[in-house]
Each structure stands twice: as C-alpha cells, then as structure tokens.
Amino acid sequence: MDLMNWKPKRWLRIFLPAVLIIIWLAVAGLGGPTFGKISDVSTNDQAAFLPASAQSTAVQDWQSKFVDSTSIPAVVVLTSPQALTQEQLAEVAGLFEKLGAVGGVQKPVAPQTTTIAGPIPSSDKLAVEFLVPVADVGNVKTVVGELRAVIAANLPAGMSSYVTGPAGLTADLVSAFSGIDGILLLVALLAVFVILLVVYRSVVLPILVLLTSVVALCGAIVVVYYLAKGDVIKLNGQSQGILSILVIGAATDYSLLLVARFRESLHEVQSKWTALGRAFKGAWEPIVASGGTVILALLCLLFSDLNSNRSLGPIAAIGIFFSLLAALTFLPALLLAFGRGAFWPFLPKVGHQHKHKHKHTSPVTVDGLAATSEGDVARGLAGIGGLWRRVGLLIARRPRATWVLTLVLLLAAGTGIFQLQANGVSQTQVILGPSNAVDGQKALAAHFDAGSGSPVVIIADQGKQAQVADAVGKVKGIAAVNVYTGGGRPDAAAAPVVRDGRVLINATLADQADSDAAEQVVQDLRAQLPAVDSGVLVGGVSAIALDTNVTAQRDLVKIVPLVLVVILLVLMLLLRSIVAPLVLIGSVVLSYGAAMGISAIVFNHVFGFPGADATVPLFGFVFLVALGVDYNIFLMTRVREEAKIMGTRAGVLRGLGKTGSVITSAGVVLAATFAALGVIPLLFLAQLAFIVAFGVLLDTVVVRSLLVPALSYDIGRHLWWPSQLGRERKEVES
C-alpha cells in the first residue's frame, strides 16, 4: 500500500478512525476501574523477591516447618521521659491484653530472649517493649493502623508510643507507595500538559497526546493486573510507579515524533489522509525500532537473579508495548478525526513552511561559512532557522573540536561515579517522609538491643545446637541467643523443636536489624559457623538485606553487557551499519556515566542521602541507555533518510534541524515525567527520578545535539560502513 498517496473511500475515512477510537476507549473503560484494584495484587515484602539460591530463602523455607504461622512481628515500644512507675506498668499490662483483641493479630508476647511473659521494661526504666505478631500480612497497613489507634486511645499519660519492627516498617512503606495511583499520575500528566502547551501553543494537541498516554496506561494496567493476580508476575510498589511513569513518558515521546511528521506534511499537502500517510511512513520505523529496543532491553532483566528485577522487566515491557501500540493506532485515528484542528489555534497551512529541494546546488557561502563545492551546508540547512541553524553551523564549522570538547566534559562528569555509594541502605533510611516506625527503631535502639523483634535465624543440625549456639554467642554484635522450643519463654530444660533433623536458633542483634553492622554480623556468622556445623544456614531480616545487595551487584555485572549487545544488534539491523551503532552505543554509555557521576555528587553533597539502593545503578542504566538510544534512533533514521538524497554531511545537518525541536520536547517531557517520581517519599524512587530526569536532559541537550551530530559529520560517509551508503562515494560529498 502506498501510504504517501493513499486516498481511501469516504466511508472508510469515517469508519476506520471511529473503530480504532472506540476500541481504545473500551480498553480505557476496562483499565480505569483496575487502577483502584492493582494495589490488591501488589506486595512490598522484600523477602519475596530473593532468588531461590539465596541462603535467606532457604532459611525462610525451613522456618515455615518450625512455625505454622506466616505472621510478621510488630514491635511496640512505649517510652517515658521519667522512670516508669508501678501504676504505669500496670496500665501497660492492660494495653498489652487489649492489643490481642485487634483483628488480624495474634496474642502479643515479649521478646523470646526473656523469661517474662508480659511487656518488659528497659534497663533504664524509661521504656517497655513487646511483640504483636501480625497474622493478616496482606492487610498489614490496616492492622498496624488499628494497633496505633488502640495504643493512642489507651496510652498512659506522659508516654510516647511506636509500632515498629518488620510489620511497622512495611506498613509505613505501603503508605508511602499509596500516592502512586493518584498523586504521581496527576503530577506527571500535569507536567506533560504544561510542557506541550508551551511547546506547541495548542490547546487541543496536548489533550490528544495525553489521552493517548492514558489509554496506553489503561491497557498496560489491565494486562499487568491479571498477570499479577494469576501469580505469573510479582508486582510491587516500585514496579507499579515505574510502569505509570514509563508509559506516560514513552507514549508521549512516540506521539510527538508522529505529530511532528504530521504537521510537517500538512504544510506540504492539503489532504489530512495524505499528510498522515506521509507522516506514518516516515515515523513508524523509528517508533517501532525505539519501542522494540526499549522492550528488548527491559526483557534482559529476566536474566536477573533478583526476583524484583526479573519481575520489573516484563511489567515495564508491557507498558512500552502499549505505548507503541497506542501511538501507532489511537493517535493517528485522533489526528484524522481532528485534522488541522488538532493544532488550533495555529493551524498548519500548505506552503507556509519553507520546503527544501533535494537537488544539487552551486557552491555558496552560508552565514559566512565557505561551503564545500557540493554545497553540503547549503542543502543541509535550507529552510532551517533559529537555534538549530546555529547549532548546525557550529557543527559544520568545527565538528572535531565540538565532539572532542563534549567528550572531555562528559568524561570529567563521569569521574563522580566513584563517589556513588550504592551498597544498599537500611529500611529505616528508605522512607524519606515522617514515619512512626522509623522513629520507633530509634527509640528501640536507645533503650533496648536494636535488633529486638528481628533476630538472625539460624538453622543447624540436631545434636549440634549447643555448639552452634555457643559459637553464635561469641560473634561480635550478638546480644542474646536461644534455641526454639515451640513457643513461650526460653527454658534451658525444654527440648528444642526438631524438624527433619534440624533445629532453629534465634540470635538477637545488638544493632538495628537492617544496618551495615547487622549485615557484617551475618557475614561473620556465615564465615565462622560452617566450622562447627557444615550444614548451617543463616537467614532473617539482616540476611535478606545482605543477600539482596549482593545479588543486585552481581546482576549489574551480568545484565549491563547483555543490554548493550542487544541494543547494538538492533541498531545494526535498523541502520544497516556497524560504525553508526558503535557511535550511538558509545554515546549513551558516556551519557550514563556522566549522569551517574553528577548524581553521585548531588546525592552526597546536596541532598545528603545516606547512600543508594544496590539496584539503583542497574535501573538507571537500563532506563537511560534504552531511552537514550530512543532519541538517537529518532535522529539517525532521519539522517539516513536525508543522506540517501543529499549525502551524509548534509544529511546530518538536515536531520538535526528537522528533529531538533521534537526530540528536545520529547526529552523535556520524559525528564518531567520521571521527575514526578520524586513526589513519592522513598529514597529509591527519589534517586531514580533524579538520575533519569537529569540523564535524559543531558542526553537530549548535549549528547544528541552536539556529540553525535558532530562526530557523525566528522566521520562522513564512513558512518554507514559497510552498507552501500557508506561504500559509494556520493558526488554530493567531497
């Protein structure tokens, strides 16, 4: 079918767009209500995302054999500015009983390192502590909220209360994620609308583009919801937030490329069908290539050993697929329905944009620049004005100086990456906003062993429990040790519970369970205990954090080369070249390094962050490299298209001038959407928001505008080696 001159019958002109619009609106009708239900199939339990090979995962499996309940402990801490009186202790004992009546909890108990049945006071008499096992793990936020309400209503005068521990921290984490469905989406859409309004000076077009993004998100949400509900994929709050942002940003980017081509064609032809045919022919290949590249890069996460990374791959890939589909079907239908009215009040008119002619011109001088005998600069910049004409002239005058200087600046910025502290942070540092659980951990550390309620769990062979327990007690950082005897208080005379020839040992940490010091204790235990019992396993909250960080760092080494190879192969197929893809891959890697370097400096010296999650470098790499290649694909497919007609150097200038505005607009939009992640008060999302937003702007403004065009101009026709375009010496090139 000749899209350039397609003239469908009148009935088809009405029927086809209408059917596409109705189908997508039906998808939106299904996806809209699903937004409110997707949190029901989302979990934020860190342990659920560990690989099966991790020692902590094996310990969890053993724990289920010893304890029938799958409850997680909430640690209740009550503090007083003065020594607790007997009357206050009696009131606390009454509260202890009332908490047991809260729905979704089991009977409160004291930590198993004491022989006291009820709440235990601290040695300084300024606090009491007890555990409330939360059995209804799926509604931990609600249960913890009710616990806090009951405590507040019955708290002795002058005391402060905290519900912390694994259950309290999980509840506050879920609360932090609660803004994803509403606030995040609203902020992202508003940012995109304002940017499009300023760039296109149209009231209608931003609405059409945003509507395309919304229906794409609705389609992705429906598929992800049912896959998560069927336990095919694991969905958590981070993946949920990234999905929304990624779909909005990607769908907008693809839409803007098609819109730019459509508006360009409307200046050349009267028929909106012909204009759309031309636009579609010029835009579909880079859009599909860009979307396909991102999808393949994201699916590389399936090779991750960390289940949370592995689950994000298909979730995000589904989002990109629907972004691609909506931009190539729903948006064209809308553009046909509105025609030139989509750009109201500034309607494109035929002949009102200077058209370049694809023919050879005589030698000329362009803005003081002596052109080559073939007139590369004259042809390349014909009809290009404003900023992009000036950038084109800079590149044409001094291509080598431009790319060398840009390269040096990027390398200098990249040196900051050595300051990146991506070794993981404690769970109490993950939440950036106010948190009762975080405050509770501080109170717990001030008055008790900080690891109370989250012990290290050790699985040892029967008959060796005494030797193992003795060895555990000698490790620095262990405050208390007890062998599990089936509930109640530890009793030296009681026999340990044995399952399949194994026993369970709990070791209370002196330090906070998810701190660096606690993780070091786990490493020490794993290094020393095999000498006592070769089959010993060490798990628990601290071990989960350690295994997560180690696995994430291993994933980075494995997945980064895989992503680069996949993207390189896609670019080679698209551009029919080896040199150009290598140039583009090198540019996005440089861009990533510079973005991470600047981000590390900002995190450490501006925001004062305590560190970074171990998965931040990997997620930053996948998103920046995949999305950075997007813009280079948009640029280089246009350059190749023009190079076939006027030669490579003129094609570089022409491609830059024609795509400059749309790619810059798309980059600003994508940066704004990822920056919206910063409204969620979580360290990981705040850091990812800055890395991707800054990295996209750096890639759009510096790498794609200066480095890639200048280097391509300097290389000339050899950029397309070994294709025919690179082998033949065009008469339009010197």
Side-chain angles (χ1 to χ4, degrees), residues 334-408:
L334 291 177
L335 293 177
L336 287 174
F338 284 84
R340 283 179 164 79
F343 300 93
W344 184 86
F346 300 99
L347 306 183
K349 296 181 180 180
V350 177
H352 278 227
Q353 187 180 61
H354 181 78
K355 297 181 290 184
H356 69 286
K357 299 185 183 300
H358 298 318
K359 64 180 183 179
H360 309 317
T361 58
S362 57
V364 292
T365 299
V366 182
D367 290 0
L369 174 69
T372 63
S373 58
E374 294 78 20
D376 287 341
V377 180
R379 281 187 304 278
L381 295 179
I384 305 297
L387 172 64
W388 298 108
R389 182 179 185 85
R390 293 193 293 273
V391 173
L393 287 171
L394 170 65
I395 290 171
R397 285 192 181 103
R398 293 184 173 84
R400 189 162 300 173
T402 301
W403 72 258
V404 168
L405 179 60
T406 306
L407 175 65
V408 170

Side-chain angles (χ1 to χ4, degrees), residues 457-578:
V457 180
I458 300 157
I459 304 297
D461 288 334
Q462 180 187 9
K464 293 186 178 181
Q465 66 266 21
Q467 299 96 310
V468 172
D470 183 62
V472 171
K474 293 178 181 179
V475 173
K476 183 180 179 181
I478 297 295
V481 183
N482 68 85
V483 179
Y484 181 70
T485 58
R489 303 299 96 223
D491 185 347
V497 174
V498 180
R499 296 287 185 269
D500 298 334
R502 309 278 267 170
V503 296
L504 184 148
I505 300 171
N506 288 315
T508 302
L509 291 158
D511 296 292
Q512 189 172 305
D514 57 356
S515 63
D516 291 340
E519 291 183 20
Q520 184 59 53
V521 172
V522 171
Q523 294 184 66
D524 293 341
L525 287 170
R526 288 177 173 175
Q528 298 177 31
L529 292 183
V532 181
D533 181 355
S534 59
V536 72
L537 297 171
V538 180
V541 172
S542 304
I544 288 172
L546 174 64
D547 289 344
T548 300
N549 292 338
V550 170
T551 306
Q553 291 166 4
R554 189 168 62 239
D555 280 349
L556 183 65
V557 176
K558 177 170 55 176
I559 292 175
V560 164
L562 184 61
V563 171
L564 291 177
V565 169
V566 168
I567 292 178
L568 182 63
L569 292 176
V570 172
L571 290 175
M572 286 180 177
L573 291 173
L574 176 67
L575 299 176
R576 291 83 160 171
S577 165
I578 293 177

Side-chain angles (χ1 to χ4, degrees), residues 661-672:
S661 296
V662 63
I663 295 178
T664 301
S665 301
V668 172
V669 166
L670 188 63

